[in-house]
Amino acid sequence: MTDKYFIHTFGCQMNVHDSEKIAGILSESGLGETDSLNEADVIVLNTCSIREKAEQKFYSELGRLGAAKKNNPGLKIAVAGCIAQQKGSVLFKRFPYVDFVFGPDNIDNLHAWINKRPQSTDHRAQTTALAHNPEYHNKALPVKREGKVRAWVSIMYGCDNFCAYCVVPHTRGRERSRSSKDILDEISTLARQGFREVTLLGQNVNSYGKNLPEKIDFPGLLGMIHDIEGIERIRFVTSHPRDLSEKLIDAMSNLSRICKHLHLPVQAGSDKILSLMNRGYTYKQYKEKIDILRSAVPDIAVTTDIIVGFPGESEKDFQGTISALREIEFDGIFAFKYSIRPGTAAVGLPDHIDEKDKSARLSEALDLQAGITYAKNKALEGKTITVLTEGLSETDKEKLTGRTSSNKIVNFYGDESDIGRLVDIKISEAKQHSLFGTKEAILATNIHE
Ligand code: SAH
Ligand code: SF4
Ligand code: F3S
């Protein structure tokens, strides 16, 4: 019988996509996938250390796997991702049943490990793969993709920004862009396989190309991707406000397949806090960019991330964030309580904020935003919007689900043959996190018919 693998992914889109690469390597090595932990011969936990809570989730999961290993001593457990990179072999001390620890720059090392994985239960066979790999971005790894309509494509790795709170530059290393040829080849293959949408991934996509020998920037890359036949929609995450150029805004306004959505993390509305965070812009500069964007690309949806309770954040500073939410009226936000991350600059800042105050600020921000998001969704009632159908709805298999160009989720009754197609939906009901509507038409722009 072939061995089976189970992957548990924590964290961001980059990790979700890394898990697709991990799955690619494991299936290429002859393993089959299982969604049951009990059936697995190899378990990979792909971890995230962005906040303490994310770390705790992983530790409690790994703790539970101790019992699984007792029942099945042949079980192999690998830890990947950002915690793996930070903790390395220290994990073996606390969890002696872990077999392999590898970082985000070493996913390709999984190949060698899986093929010669020790069949014994000798824990001295424990290994790590954590070396910084400056050539990782040039490697072509097999990818086993989750869906058939939307695909993730890495365009750069790492981050050079060193925001004071953030662990990512410490776990993912320096910023490296992939060559445009590798990216275009990958997307052309996806188009041939029938994928209709790509999301370009990087911690700071706006600075794409900075260290490449070829002369190319992010808007230039978008132009080239836009010419690939079969790709109807292009998305990207994440953009850094400092590097959001007018050239990118022009590209978003001129290239019809770029989705009308920008995720642009503001983090805070107080200039004092933005400076302590080392973000490199003021709130006024941020707001000006949003104004230019909104006049160049009408109907664009803008979403953001905010952190509440950063060290030194007074009530007045926090109210700066609240008035930013009121003034900009984002389509949606991700809001987080500041979480202290070992090794980051913010650890040493004075005036850390009480947990109680952080919680109160988080609720205030989320309550305010819930009303704004709902009102924005409500304003879409009665409108007809184009949706790319992704699949059956998770909660109700009678319905289909897809997204608008502005990244809002739309559920509707339709046909399974709508999957992968652009359809026009008349919105009849707005909810807090999604829209519901009725199918009006399948669009003529569809290809691959
Ligand atoms: N590269 C992206 C985001 C990466 S992490 C960017 O620069 O925008 C995603 C979000 O997690 C960040 O935008 C930030 O809001 C939040 N975050 C990161 N570190 C955090 C910490 N220590 N505590 C709380 N939130 C944090
Ligand atoms: Fe972290 Fe800042 Fe880099 Fe984003 S830009 S990954 S928040 S250091
Ligand atoms: Fe988490 Fe690493 Fe992503 S810390 S958010 S998995 S880059």
Side-chain angles (χ1 to χ4, degrees):
M1 245 183 42
T2 50
D3 276 2
K4 292 206 169 54
Y5 69 86
F6 176 93
I7 305 175
H8 186 147
T9 310
F10 304 79
C12 64
Q13 289 111 327
M14 260 141 274
N15 250 20
V16 172
H17 185 40
D18 281 350
S19 287
E20 293 183 329
K21 296 175 187 169
I22 290 170
I25 293 175
L26 294 175
S27 11
E28 207 177 72
S29 303
L31 280 80
E33 190 175 3
T34 172
D35 51 14
S36 150
L37 235 134
N38 300 330
E39 271 183 18
D41 305 285
V42 174
I43 295 177
V44 183
L45 301 181
N46 193 10
T47 64
C48 171
S49 55
I50 199 80
R51 284 169 291 274
E52 200 185 342
K53 233 190 195 163
E55 274 204 32
Q56 281 164 355
K57 273 196 216 154
F58 154 69
Y59 284 122
S60 60
E61 172 83 20
L62 185 55
R64 278 197 295 275
L65 291 187
K69 186 96 169 194
K70 271 209 189 87
N71 294 338
N72 173 11
L75 173 67
K76 297 291 165 207
I77 299 176
V79 179
C82 289
I83 301 179
Q85 186 63 43
Q86 277 192 308
K87 299 281 185 228
S89 57
V90 169
L91 286 170
F92 296 141
K93 293 211 176 75
R94 200 168 142 199
F95 304 98
Y97 46 87
V98 169
D99 298 283
F100 184 40
V101 176
F102 63 108
D105 260 11
N106 292 275
I107 294 177
D108 52 331
N109 291 41
L110 184 59
H111 242 134
W113 177 77
I114 199 73
N115 289 327
K116 64 171 183 16
R117 64 190 178 281
Q119 294 305 319
S120 75
T121 53
D122 182 352
H123 69 76
R124 279 168 306 183
Q126 288 170 323
T127 38
T128 59
L130 301 162
H132 178 56
N133 182 351
E135 281 307 310
Y136 177 67
H137 62 295
N138 289 327
K139 289 187 189 270
L141 299 184
V143 183
K144 188 165 178 287
R145 301 194 186 262
E146 282 290 317
K148 292 192 162 28
V149 180
R150 295 160 19 106
W152 309 106
V153 176
S154 306
I155 64 163
M156 65 200 302
Y157 297 105
C159 182
D160 286 348
N161 282 320
F162 288 95
C163 301
Y165 48 82
C166 184
V167 84
V168 174
H170 306 271
T171 60
R172 300 252 167 183
R174 296 291 59 74
E175 186 180 298
R176 287 145 292 159
S177 296
R178 285 176 78 197
S179 75
S180 60
K181 182 182 179 305
D182 287 356
I183 296 168
L184 296 171
D185 284 352
E186 182 172 344
I187 299 177
S188 301
T189 306
L190 290 168
R192 281 196 298 277
Q193 291 168 341
F195 285 89
R196 312 302 303 279
E197 179 179 306
V198 288
T199 302
L200 312 176
L201 289 178
Q203 294 295 354
N204 183 13
V205 291
N206 300 162
S207 72
Y208 171 78
K210 207 170 65 185
N211 302 318
L212 277 176
E214 57 182 313
K215 208 172 161 337
I216 187 166
D217 57 11
F218 186 54
L221 179 72
L222 285 173
M224 287 150 94
I225 295 171
H226 199 261
D227 288 339
I228 298 176
E229 200 186 330
I231 298 298
E232 289 295 336
R233 286 183 166 187
I234 305 165
R235 299 185 188 277
F236 49 86
V237 276
T238 300
S239 301
H240 192 294
R242 190 196 49 221
D243 299 323
L244 176 70
S245 62
E246 295 214 9
K247 195 170 168 199
L248 176 60
I249 295 176
D250 283 349
M252 293 186 80
S253 117
N254 296 331
L255 303 175
S256 60
R257 298 195 181 105
I258 299 183
C259 286
K260 298 207 178 322
H261 171 222
L262 185 70
H263 184 64
L264 195 66
V266 63
Q267 310 298 1
S270 141
D271 289 345
K272 179 188 103 190
I273 297 300
L274 286 171
S275 162
L276 286 171
M277 285 177 165
N278 190 29
R279 288 290 287 178
Y281 54 86
T282 61
Y283 173 66
K284 188 159 168 275
Q285 288 168 329
Y286 180 92
K287 172 70 169 57
E288 272 165 13
K289 291 200 177 179
I290 298 288
D291 290 344
I292 297 171
L293 179 73
R294 281 179 166 163
S295 57
V297 193
D299 294 337
I300 190 160
V302 184
T303 55
T304 203
D305 294 344
I306 62 164
I307 296 176
V308 301
F310 187 78
E313 185 188 71
S314 64
E315 182 57 29
K316 183 162 164 275
D317 293 320
F318 170 64
Q319 287 308 321
T321 301
I322 290 291
S323 47
L325 297 181
R326 277 211 184 91
E327 182 173 48
I328 295 180
E329 297 196 327
F330 292 102
D331 289 77
I333 66 168
F334 295 99
F336 309 103
K337 289 192 268 187
Y338 167 72
S339 170
I340 193 161
R341 301 288 67 212
T344 59
V347 173
L349 289 175
D351 304 322
H352 282 250
I353 308 296
D354 273 3
E355 201 50 35
K356 195 164 74 30
D357 292 337
K358 283 190 210 170
S359 299
R361 289 176 188 178
L362 183 69
S363 304
E364 188 177 336
L366 289 174
D367 287 352
L368 168 64
Q369 184 59 40
I372 297 170
T373 300
Y374 184 64
K376 291 222 163 203
N377 287 351
K378 199 83 186 148
L380 297 173
E381 282 183 357
K383 297 220 157 96
T384 297
I385 312 184
T386 302
V387 169
L388 177 62
T389 318
E390 289 164 27
L392 299 176
S393 151
E394 287 280 318
T395 47
D396 178 353
K397 297 286 176 218
E398 300 282 291
K399 288 186 199 144
L400 291 164
T401 189
R403 270 163 219 261
T404 64
S405 168
S406 59
N407 209 32
K408 297 191 195 277
I409 295 171
V410 179
N411 297 309
F412 59 97
Y413 290 108
D415 216 75
E416 273 197 47
S417 64
D418 292 332
I419 296 173
R421 286 181 171 172
L422 294 167
V423 288
D424 267 355
I425 304 290
K426 183 162 185 184
I427 304 301
S428 54
E429 191 191 350
K431 303 186 180 172
Q432 187 66 47
H433 301 291
S434 65
L435 304 164
F436 178 76
T438 315
K439 193 165 92 180
E440 297 223 306
I442 297 171
L443 294 188
T445 51
N446 285 293
I447 53 162
H448 305 304
E449 293 289 314

